Amino acid sequence: MGNRRSVPRGYFRYRFSQPGLSWGCVVLAVCLGCGQSYEGPRRAPVQGHVSLDGKAVSQGTIEFVPAVGTAGPTAGSRIIDGKFEISEDKGPVLGKYQVRISAFGPTGRKVTAGSQGPMGTMIDEIGEMLPSKYNTESTLEREIVAGENQLDFELTTKE
């Protein structure tokens, strides 16, 4: 028993007293916050319609790629029955964007099925339905502003 350290009587009661413990909880809560907060650039929700030659694009994708001077990630969504929607928490940050729209579907050509069917079977070729000026070489630009952003795209196959 010679090496045993003894703790003075009342030590824990003094160190962890009710007021001290309460203030400790308050300080911890303030430091941690009441929940997660987003500290990055301000984002905005985006929704809209996409049509090709007057008809809604049945399926596709839309991407908002930050232009020079806009700091933030690319944001995007699926297009279903001509409509797209991106919520604020996943939306683009405020600024200017290049918009890229793609839609895949039957091209009207038939190709061999290859490994997808019996030898000699012909199937519809699936390819990009939109001209490159709307996707890989997009000329579309839009500005995202604070609040709701309703962006409609009336695309044409004509030059």
Side-chain angles (χ1 to χ4, degrees):
M1 279 211 252
N3 290 340
R4 189 169 176 219
R5 292 178 79 189
S6 64
V7 177
R9 183 171 265 171
Y11 177 78
F12 289 109
R13 187 170 19 160
Y14 171 74
R15 298 290 283 170
F16 299 105
S17 67
Q18 190 69 14
L21 188 56
S22 296
W23 278 111
C25 289
V26 169
V27 169
L28 183 62
V30 168
C31 289
L32 294 178
C34 296
Q36 294 181 343
S37 63
Y38 178 70
E39 295 296 328
R42 186 165 177 202
R43 295 175 177 256
V46 182
Q47 62 183 7
H49 297 90
V50 180
S51 63
L52 177 64
D53 295 329
K55 296 180 183 175
V57 171
S58 60
Q59 292 184 37
T61 60
I62 186 166
E63 287 182 295
F64 293 86
V65 180
V68 175
T70 299
T74 296
S77 174
R78 291 179 55 196
I79 301 167
I80 300 173
D81 297 328
K83 299 175 185 174
F84 70 92
E85 185 173 355
I86 307 172
S87 61
E88 183 174 359
D89 62 323
K90 295 181 192 231
V93 300
L94 308 183
K96 295 185 182 202
Y97 286 83
Q98 176 190 53
V99 182
R100 296 179 186 167
I101 302 173
S102 289
F104 293 92
T107 63
R109 293 181 42 201
K110 295 283 190 181
V111 295
T112 59
S115 63
Q116 297 178 1
M119 184 181 266
T121 302
M122 301 297 282
I123 60 172
D124 290 327
E125 177 185 59
I126 303 297
E128 176 65 66
M129 302 298 297
L130 304 178
S132 61
K133 66 181 178 180
Y134 300 129
N135 43 64
T136 57
E137 299 171 16
S138 182
T139 57
L140 299 172
E141 294 180 346
R142 294 293 191 276
E143 184 166 359
I144 303 301
V145 297
E148 297 291 323
N149 289 272
Q150 176 71 36
L151 303 178
D152 297 325
F153 298 89
E154 296 178 10
L155 313 178
T156 64
T157 52
K158 296 179 173 73
E159 291 296 321

